[in-house]
Amino acid sequence: MGVTRNSKLDADYLVVGAGALGMAFVDSLIEYSDVDVVMVERRHRPGGHWLDSYPFVQLHQPSRFYGVNSTSLGQDRMEPDGVDPGFYERASGAEICGYYDDIMRHRFLASGRVRFFPMCDFLGDRRFRSRVTDQVTEVNVRSRVVDATYMASRVPATDPPPFETAEGVRCIPVGELTTLEDPAAGYVIVGGGKTALDAICWLLDRDTDPDKITWIRPRDTWVLNRAFFQPGQSRTFAGAVFQLEAIAASESVEEVYERLEADEVMLRTDRAVVPTMMKGATVSRRELEQLRRIANVVRLGHVERVTPDQIVLEHGSIPTTPNHLHVHCAASGLSDNPPRLIFTDDTITLQLVTRVGLTLSGGLQGFLESTGRTTEDKNALCPPTVMPHTP
């Protein structure tokens, strides 16, 4: 290895991470204040976990609810067919990556007030190192260092399966479903969250026999009815009212969900099982009907290991074969880091500050930082919350 080169920069803000939170923060910060920003990202371009997502991923919410505040994502079109006819469009992963690339090139960099350093690792102490040249750069930060990675998501493409796989077992991350050359004897979907829902619907939409799909889900999940999340429609406002009324009228969390299910705001795939998970995923009625076609649902806890002839779980085992394809959908996904103080006198740790809106949260924190309020006032106005995991 050659001698490490060093350089120095001056900036008002050093932002570490160019995912959804970091991009939304910088967008609002440069919109409402005249500052100079250096952004550092370990990946090759902006977009965060979307760059590692499975090819058929889509937002679980209308595009209008995502992205940065200055520039709309999508064109506010209605879906003419598919799983959501009559609903507002939901961007694909590829569309989101292109959107963030466009924001970086034609808004941030074009402003002359943002400098972007991809393929770089943050070393701490206001320094970062290029993965390409090994050059270390020190930044003289006049205001704050911003950590936009604290809430980073974890996805199957970059997180190995949380169980052992023996030699001879076919196990792939969910994204590799699109590279299949021959059908499997059967598909074993491991996971109970949004990724597993998407994988099953993708297989069924390609005419996979539902009896050839085994769904291992350690926990059942409540899901939100996407019909109540359509911009500007009266049903969307009704959904918010239903939630408030259910909370006000109930004596327990369980009763809240019973009321919300009666109003069809909350849904579950199996009416005989009370879900213990709730991470904010949405489905349409058509998707729910698809998911209910899977009869072979395994509830024996988490998978511990897979051998060529059996899957060993916490509370039992089930048979499998070397010709079955085991699909890893079991990454943790949403961050479960505990909330911490967002603003200090020289740092900002970007976090969720609304119910589930990462991009709204990033934009709000960027705007608040631009107002010149004291650190104490900003923390009082913007306390962190956490991603939902349970009802």
Side-chain angles (χ1 to χ4, degrees), residues 113 192 194 255 261 278 285 363:
R113 294 191 289 128
K194 171 185 179 295
E255 187 181 349
E261 186 176 31
M278 171 28 198
R285 273 289 179 186

Side-chain angles (χ1 to χ4, degrees), residues 30-41:
I30 65 172
E31 178 74 15
Y32 297 106
S33 60
D34 184 17
V35 295
D36 177 61
V37 179
V38 165
M39 294 189 77
V40 175
E41 168 59 51

Side-chain angles (χ1 to χ4, degrees), residues 60 192-194 197 218-226 229 243 247 253 256-257 260 265-268 274-283 332 334-336 352 355-357 386-391:
H60 266 218
K194 171 185 179 295
L197 305 181
R219 298 179 294 167
D220 278 50
T221 183
W222 286 107
V223 288
L224 295 157
N225 185 344
R226 195 174 296 137
F229 292 85
Q243 292 186 45
I247 293 168
V253 170
V256 170
Y257 278 77
L260 291 177
V265 175
M266 287 288 176
L267 306 169
R268 51 178 157 167
V274 178
T276 58
M277 181 167 65
M278 171 28 198
K279 293 193 175 186
T282 73
V283 297
S332 58
L334 303 176
S335 170
D336 57 2
L352 194 70
R355 282 198 308 170
V356 290
V386 295
M387 280 291 189
H389 288 273
T390 67

Side-chain angles (χ1 to χ4, degrees), residues 73-376:
L73 170 61
Q75 301 179 43
D76 255 359
R77 295 171 295 196
M78 300 289 240
E79 297 288 359
D81 50 29
V83 299
D84 290 338
F87 286 8
Y88 276 90
E89 65 179 314
R90 296 181 294 124
S92 68
E95 184 181 353
I96 295 168
C97 290
Y99 167 84
Y100 281 129
D101 186 62
D102 186 72
I103 294 297
M104 177 60 73
R105 292 190 294 125
H106 299 294
R107 173 160 167 73
F108 288 8
L109 300 181
S111 74
R113 294 191 289 128
V114 177
R115 286 166 287 174
F116 182 47
F117 296 87
M119 294 295 292
C120 288
D121 291 315
F122 181 60
L123 303 177
D125 199 25
R126 307 187 177 198
R127 298 180 307 135
F128 62 90
R129 180 187 64 83
S130 168
R131 291 183 166 193
V132 178
T133 67
D134 210 35
Q135 176 171 291
V136 174
T137 300
E138 182 179 350
V139 184
N140 176 36
V141 181
R142 292 183 286 264
S143 186
R144 287 177 169 83
V145 176
V146 182
D147 181 2
T149 68
Y150 188 66
M151 297 292 291
S153 298
R154 299 171 65 181
V155 299
T158 55
D159 259 33
F163 49 85
E164 298 177 21
T165 54
E167 187 176 349
V169 172
R170 296 178 66 194
C171 182
I172 62 169
V174 60
E176 292 185 19
L177 278 172
T178 60
T179 66
L180 292 181
E181 296 184 1
D182 297 297
Y187 299 90
V188 181
I189 307 299
V190 183
K194 171 185 179 295
T195 303
L197 305 181
D198 287 350
I200 290 168
C201 287
W202 187 85
L203 286 169
L204 293 175
D205 286 345
R206 275 136 199 88
D207 296 324
T208 305
D209 183 345
D211 290 337
K212 290 192 175 232
I213 299 175
T214 298
W215 188 359
I216 297 178
R217 56 182 199 240
R219 298 179 294 167
D220 278 50
T221 183
W222 286 107
V223 288
L224 295 157
N225 185 344
R226 195 174 296 137
F228 286 94
F229 292 85
Q230 300 305 304
Q233 295 187 4
S234 60
R235 195 174 186 186
T236 300
F237 294 100
V241 173
F242 284 148
Q243 292 186 45
L244 293 172
E245 289 180 340
I247 293 168
S250 300
E251 297 295 326
S252 67
V253 170
E254 292 76 17
E255 187 181 349
V256 170
Y257 278 77
E258 289 173 7
R259 292 176 182 272
L260 291 177
E261 186 176 31
D263 291 326
E264 297 189 335
V265 175
M266 287 288 176
L267 306 169
R268 51 178 157 167
T269 54
D270 190 337
R271 298 182 186 91
V273 178
V274 178
T276 58
M277 181 167 65
M278 171 28 198
K279 293 193 175 186
T282 73
V283 297
S284 65
R285 273 289 179 186
R286 181 189 172 281
E287 285 175 308
L288 186 66
E289 290 167 4
Q290 286 280 69
L291 294 167
R292 285 176 173 167
R293 295 174 64 198
I294 307 302
N296 191 12
V297 176
V298 178
R299 297 183 179 90
L300 293 173
H302 292 90
V303 175
E304 294 184 342
R305 65 183 180 276
V306 183
T307 70
D309 60 358
Q310 69 172 345
I311 301 171
V312 179
L313 302 101
E314 292 175 293
H315 308 300
S317 63
I318 60 172
T320 189
T321 75
N323 295 321
H324 275 67
L325 187 64
H326 305 82
V327 184
H328 164 35
C329 302
S332 58
L334 303 176
S335 170
D336 57 2
N337 283 335
R340 59 169 58 171
L341 208 60
I342 292 176
F343 298 93
T344 72
D345 289 340
D346 57 3
T347 65
I348 300 173
T349 305
L350 298 182
Q351 291 163 77
L352 194 70
V353 298
T354 66
R355 282 198 308 170
V356 290
L358 270 178
T359 56
L360 174 58
S361 294
L364 284 170
Q365 288 162 91
F367 170 75
L368 187 56
E369 176 64 13
S370 76
T371 63
R373 287 177 166 87
T374 66
T375 298
E376 183 180 13

